[in-house]
Every structure is written in C-alpha cells, then in structure tokens.
C-alpha cells in the first residue's frame, strides 16, 4: 500500500509570492491533516480535513488555507509568503479522525 | 495547557543500552499519546501509541509507560541499536468535543546510539 505522497518535495519561492502544496493520502484514508515543522517552533498543527470539510484549524494567520477534494486529496496554500514561512510542511492521513495518523515525507519550502 | 513537555533534548546511549525519553502534559483532556520516530529527510513515522486506560504498552523493543496521576508518559527503547539513531517526538491528542486529528507534539529528542 503506497504511503502518503506529498508534492513537490522542494520549493524555493520569494517573499510576496504564493504557493500550493499537494497531498495524496493513503488509499482509503479520508482524513488529512497538515503540520508545519521548523527548528524553532517544532511541529505545529495547521488544519485538518474530513469529507471535504475543515474540522479544525491551528493558530496560523489567514494566509494559510487549505482544501480537500472528493477523492480525499488535499492542498494547502500560503499567500504573500514571508521569510518565516520557510519550513517543512507535513501532511498526515488517517482512515477517520481520531485514528492513527501516518505522515508523508513533506515539502521543504524555502523563502528567499 | 496545550503543551507537551519533552526531555531530554538529546541523548547518547551505547549499543545494547536502554534509551528513555520522557514527556509530561497538563491538559487532562488528552486521551491518546503516540510516539513518532523521524529520520533526516523523512516524515515522522508512528512507532507506538497508548490510551490512558492502560499503564504500559510494549511492541518489540519499544515500550510506553503511562502514569495518569502524574500526567507523564515515557518511551523506553530496549537493546538500543545504531539504526535507532533518530529524533523522537511524543504527542498528545484530545477527543473532547469530538474526534479530531489535532496532535500536540513535544519538542523532540535527538537520540544517538553509539556502536
């Protein structure tokens, strides 16, 4: 069974641009969550989606948004990029909310 | 109250030794406690998890000990191997208000197992 797939693996952007990251969950998993990982703040919850609905959101500005499609694939978008948005963005999927989450290898976003 | 405190920040253990990583929490609504292992360039991988109705769970060389009254839980890695060298994260989740995937992570422990 294929794991969680995140694309692209690496991205370089400049301040003020916007970016879209993609996540394909494990087959059959309907719940997707996103996390940001940085050396200073560690792993922080961004948001979670189930059945195309955002069920929970972390403490991030409105520049961070996401969505889930009917096939459970998810995207997150960051607009007006800032230097502090440089991070590893991780996607995790589970069969249902509250079930064990399995992470992808992330997208490394660097802001110049 | 949403924090999970993890210690130590780094740990060096000899091959064959026992690695112990500790976590503490404040929020009594937390009711699911997983541990993740992360290698450089990879995402966190679920190792083992426990719910507060049991005090210990063992899977192979990995054991979680849970002390509900002290609001503490720990990961023990028996017979530590160089291949166990990685960063370990504890986490907690509260289902209060309904099922959710919102994990609160500890700050991580960098484990180095020396041959």
């Amino acid at each position: 069974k294929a794991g969680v797939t995140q694309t692209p693996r690496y991205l370089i952007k400049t301040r003020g641009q916007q970016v879209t990251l993609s996540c394909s969950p494990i087959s059959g998993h309907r719940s997707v969550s996103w996390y940001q990982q940085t050396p200073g703040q560690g792993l922080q919850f961004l948001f979670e989606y189930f059945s195309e609905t955002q069920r929970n959101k972390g403490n991030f500005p409105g520049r961070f948004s996401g969505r889930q499609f009917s096939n459970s694939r998810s995207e997150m978008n960051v607009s007006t990029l800032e230097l502090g948005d440089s991070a590893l963005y991780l996607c995790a999927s589970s069969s249902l909310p509250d079930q064990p989450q399995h992470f992808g290898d992330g997208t490394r976003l660097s802001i110049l | 109250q949403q924090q999970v405190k993890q210690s130590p920040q780094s740990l060096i253990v000899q091959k064959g030794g026992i690695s112990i990583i500790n976590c503490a929490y404040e929020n009594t609504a937390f009711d699911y406690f997983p541990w993740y292992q992360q290698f450089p360039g990879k995402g966190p991988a679920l190792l083992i998890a426990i719910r507060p109705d049991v005090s210990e769970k063992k899977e192979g060389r990995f054991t979680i000990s849970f002390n509900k009254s002290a609001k503490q839980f720990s990961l023990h890695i028996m017979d530590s191997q160089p291949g166990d060298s990685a960063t370990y994260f504890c986490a907690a989740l509260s289902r209060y208000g309904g099922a959710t995937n919102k994990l609160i992570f500890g700050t991580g422990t960098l484990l180095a197992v020396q041959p």
Side-chain angles (χ1 to χ4, degrees), chain B residues 15-41:
Chain B
K15 179 183 175 182
I18 303 174
S19 304
I20 301 174
I21 304 170
N22 300 299
C23 285
Y25 62 97
E26 290 293 327
N27 187 352
T28 55
F30 286 146
D31 56 5
Y32 173 69
F33 302 89
W35 284 88
Y36 284 85
Q37 176 191 58
Q38 186 176 29
F39 292 104

Side-chain angles (χ1 to χ4, degrees), chain A residues 9 31-33 35 37 43-45 48 55-58 88 90 94 96-106, chain B residues 31-32 36 38 41-46 49 51 87 89 93-95 97-107:
Chain A
R9 288 296 313 278
S31 183
V32 172
S33 299
Y35 294 82
Q37 186 174 26
L43 279 152
Q44 293 188 291
F45 172 82
E48 69 171 293
R55 302 181 70 248
N56 224 326
K57 191 175 194 301
L88 180 66
L90 292 159
S94 61
L96 294 169
D98 188 32
Q99 293 303 302
Q101 294 180 61
H102 301 274
F103 284 81
D105 287 335
Chain B
D31 56 5
Y32 173 69
Y36 284 85
Q38 186 176 29
K42 295 290 188 179
L46 180 62
R51 297 199 187 270
T87 301
F89 293 94
L93 180 151
S94 168
R95 292 174 295 176
T100 178
N101 275 343
K102 183 180 179 180
L103 285 170
I104 307 299
F105 281 90
T107 49

Side-chain angles (χ1 to χ4, degrees), chain A residues 55-110:
Chain A
R55 302 181 70 248
N56 224 326
K57 191 175 194 301
N59 188 25
F60 281 83
R63 300 184 297 107
F64 291 80
S65 63
R67 59 178 177 169
Q68 186 181 34
F69 302 96
S70 58
N71 62 358
S72 296
R73 193 176 67 84
S74 178
E75 290 181 346
M76 68 163 281
N77 184 276
V78 188
S79 62
T80 320
L81 286 165
E82 300 177 359
L83 292 177
D85 297 333
S86 294
L88 180 66
Y89 290 89
L90 292 159
C91 171
S93 77
S94 61
S95 54
L96 294 169
D98 188 32
Q99 293 303 302
Q101 294 180 61
H102 301 274
F103 284 81
D105 287 335
T107 294
R108 172 74 62 187
L109 175 62
S110 299

Side-chain angles (χ1 to χ4, degrees), chain B residues 70-115:
Chain B
K71 292 184 283 186
Q72 295 175 347
F73 58 109
S74 60
L75 176 69
H76 292 63
I77 306 175
M78 313 300 288
D79 188 26
S80 299
Q81 299 296 313
D84 297 330
S85 298
T87 301
Y88 292 80
F89 293 94
C90 62
L93 180 151
S94 168
R95 292 174 295 176
Y96 178 78
T100 178
N101 275 343
K102 183 180 179 180
L103 285 170
I104 307 299
F105 281 90
T107 49
T109 296
L110 180 60
L111 171 66
V113 181
Q114 294 186 335

